[in-house]
Amino acid sequence: MFHNLDKMQMVGLKQLVLLPLIGMGILSGSPQFSAFSQESRPSQLGKQLQQQVQDCVGRSSSATQSTQRYQTCITQLILLDDNGNRRSDASQRLLAFFEAMGIAIPKRQRQGQTVVNLQAIPRSNCFSLPVKIKGYTGQFLLDTGATHTVINTRLGKQLDLPLQDYPPNLTQGLAFGSGNKTQIGIYPAQILSIEEASVQQIHPLGMSQQAILYDLSGILGLDFLSQFDMVIDPSQPQIQLLPPTPQKGGISLTGKGGWLTVQVMINGQGPFTFALDTGATQTIVSPKLADQLALSRSAKPVQLQGLLGMEAAQPTQLNSIQIGQHQTTELNALILASPLIERMQVDGLIGQNFLNQYRQHWWFGAQNALGMVEQGTLHLSPLQP
């Protein structure tokens, strides 16, 4: 597949192509897939895509030109449709291409454990915590609603981190906000740590400081958090990151496109599928579900800041919301029409105004070929008023 290159050049080119492909997989999102080995038999789709990319690349005179050409061809042929927008089956096509090329994404490597204090973010129900990267420690948003960690590009430049840029077409519908296309990059193969707990082979997204709320250094997502058992105590506030243990009885969580979802009863109806999001200060309900439940809407909308810009939401109140055996009454919520919620096919998000009423023990299960969590368990213990 690599033309006019000696053996050493081929190895180097494959490494250069692999890291951007991992980033493309991050941006593509992921339904549930089983991990494959390098010995597994490539699918017909994978073979077809491999041939199409090979024909597109043609012959290049150098490894650098080949790398650039491969990235362009893969983006155009695998990830984007004829109109230049991200395909809904982009991750499936990319994984098939991985398999045909014999590429196995390097697994993340976890070490240590820690207990650290959380910092309450003003005018929010959310928390931040200290994350160390390349000798620098900054405050990151604790965000189970983020599939992957995000680093603001100003910090990335300060730390001289290599940034792989990606077409803005791939960002559409990947986060909250009304901006249609936002430039995002990838910082390949980083090591992140929180005190004695660290994870290698993290590939954070790079986004501008303006996209990250609360003037933080970044957002800590499930790519890091899911490597540990996680205990969050909002009353302290404190977080424990512990070595993984077998999942115990609790509330079942299901992976969906990188999010962890849970079954929820609202106003005695349901169950409905909600994502668990410690980065959301309030619980969010989709307009479709709001209509189904005949929820009242405030006449005055509020503006929410997301990674991709501002979005308008309508305040409402839920008479009751129940997860497992745990119920809260008269919970404030926001009705939000977002392409992200529609694309992920969920009914809303469980935010911090619900989660902060409980001590939470999170167990994370198996991960798919793109490193996204497919299932987990959550145990909730009510906090004293």
Side-chain angles (χ1 to χ4, degrees):
M1 187 173 178
F2 300 100
H3 305 289
N4 296 335
L5 301 171
D6 61 30
K7 184 175 181 181
M8 292 301 295
Q9 286 177 314
M10 289 174 64
V11 172
L13 176 58
K14 192 169 183 180
Q15 291 175 342
L16 288 172
V17 172
L18 172 60
L19 290 177
L21 284 178
I22 293 172
M24 290 178 181
I26 293 170
L27 292 180
S28 299
S30 175
Q32 293 187 4
F33 288 96
S34 298
F36 55 82
S37 67
Q38 294 189 14
E39 291 75 26
S40 62
R41 186 175 180 180
S43 66
Q44 189 62 35
L45 172 62
K47 292 179 180 179
Q48 292 174 353
L49 293 174
Q50 183 181 21
Q51 185 62 53
Q52 290 174 15
V53 170
Q54 180 176 339
D55 293 342
C56 173
V57 171
R59 294 182 178 273
S60 301
S61 59
S62 69
T64 299
Q65 291 178 350
S66 293
T67 300
Q68 294 172 345
R69 188 62 183 157
Y70 269 111
Q71 294 176 17
T72 298
C73 293
I74 289 166
T75 299
Q76 294 175 346
L77 295 173
I78 297 179
L79 303 180
L80 303 180
D81 61 21
D82 293 338
N83 297 320
N85 297 316
R86 182 175 46 82
R87 298 176 59 108
S88 60
D89 61 347
S91 58
Q92 183 176 5
R93 293 166 62 84
L94 185 60
L95 285 173
F97 181 71
F98 279 179
E99 188 176 17
M101 285 188 68
I103 291 176
I105 298 177
K107 292 185 178 181
R108 302 181 189 115
Q109 300 174 30
R110 172 197 57 80
Q111 287 185 330
Q113 64 185 69
T114 193
V115 180
V116 297
N117 292 328
L118 297 171
Q119 182 173 314
I121 297 175
R123 299 181 299 280
S124 167
N125 296 315
C126 300
F127 297 106
S128 67
L129 70 171
V131 177
K132 186 176 182 180
I133 177 170
K134 206 175 179 181
Y136 175 88
T137 300
Q139 288 292 318
F140 280 55
L141 177 68
L142 175 62
D143 192 354
T144 60
T147 302
H148 280 74
T149 294
V150 178
I151 296 175
N152 80 59
T153 49
R154 185 176 64 186
L155 175 60
K157 185 175 182 180
Q158 175 185 332
L159 298 178
D160 197 27
L161 301 179
L163 180 67
Q164 296 277 354
D165 290 324
Y166 286 96
N169 312 63
L170 294 179
T171 68
Q172 189 173 9
L174 288 178
F176 291 106
S178 58
N180 291 325
K181 296 176 181 178
T182 297
Q183 186 61 46
I184 291 179
I186 301 291
Y187 294 110
Q190 300 299 318
I191 301 174
L192 273 63
S193 61
I194 300 175
E195 300 291 348
E196 293 81 20
S198 66
V199 180
Q200 300 182 40
Q201 291 294 337
I202 296 287
H203 310 286
L205 302 179
M207 299 190 72
S208 68
Q209 178 68 45
Q210 291 77 12
I212 300 174
L213 301 179
Y214 314 118
D215 196 32
L216 298 173
S217 297
I219 298 169
L220 191 67
L222 282 178
D223 54 346
F224 183 97
L225 298 171
S226 64
Q227 305 307 303
F228 303 88
D229 283 2
M230 179 172 67
V231 180
I232 300 174
D233 188 343
S235 66
Q236 296 298 318
Q238 189 179 81
I239 183 172
Q240 300 178 53
L241 297 174
L242 307 171
T245 58
Q247 297 188 39
K248 302 176 181 179
I251 300 165
S252 296
L253 309 179
T254 302
K256 193 175 183 66
W259 278 348
L260 279 173
T261 65
V262 66
Q263 295 302 293
V264 178
M265 301 293 292
I266 297 180
N267 297 352
Q269 300 184 49
F272 306 107
T273 301
F274 275 62
L276 292 162
D277 190 354
T278 61
T281 190
Q282 282 195 309
T283 295
I284 292 174
V285 177
S286 71
K288 180 179 178 181
L289 180 57
D291 290 341
Q292 181 178 338
L293 297 174
L295 298 179
S296 61
R297 289 171 163 84
S298 170
K300 186 177 181 180
V302 297
Q303 293 294 317
L304 295 182
Q305 174 69 50
L307 285 176
L308 301 184
M310 303 294 293
E311 283 191 299
Q314 294 177 296
T316 189
Q317 189 175 77
L318 308 178
N319 294 334
S320 66
I321 180 168
Q322 181 174 339
I323 298 178
Q325 301 300 313
H326 304 283
Q327 179 175 280
T328 296
T329 58
E330 298 182 354
L331 185 76
N332 291 330
L334 297 171
I335 301 170
L336 177 65
S338 170
L340 178 60
I341 291 178
E342 183 176 349
R343 182 177 74 85
M344 298 294 282
Q345 298 181 339
V346 296
D347 298 304
L349 307 176
I350 298 296
Q352 285 289 83
N353 62 334
F354 179 91
L355 292 171
N356 277 352
Q357 300 180 46
Y358 301 91
R359 184 178 186 270
Q360 308 145 40
H361 193 151
W362 301 65
W363 288 270
F364 301 99
Q367 300 179 4
N368 61 31
L370 288 180
M372 296 182 182
V373 182
E374 292 190 333
Q375 53 91 23
T377 303
L378 176 65
H379 184 269
L380 299 176
S381 300
L383 297 176
Q384 295 299 322

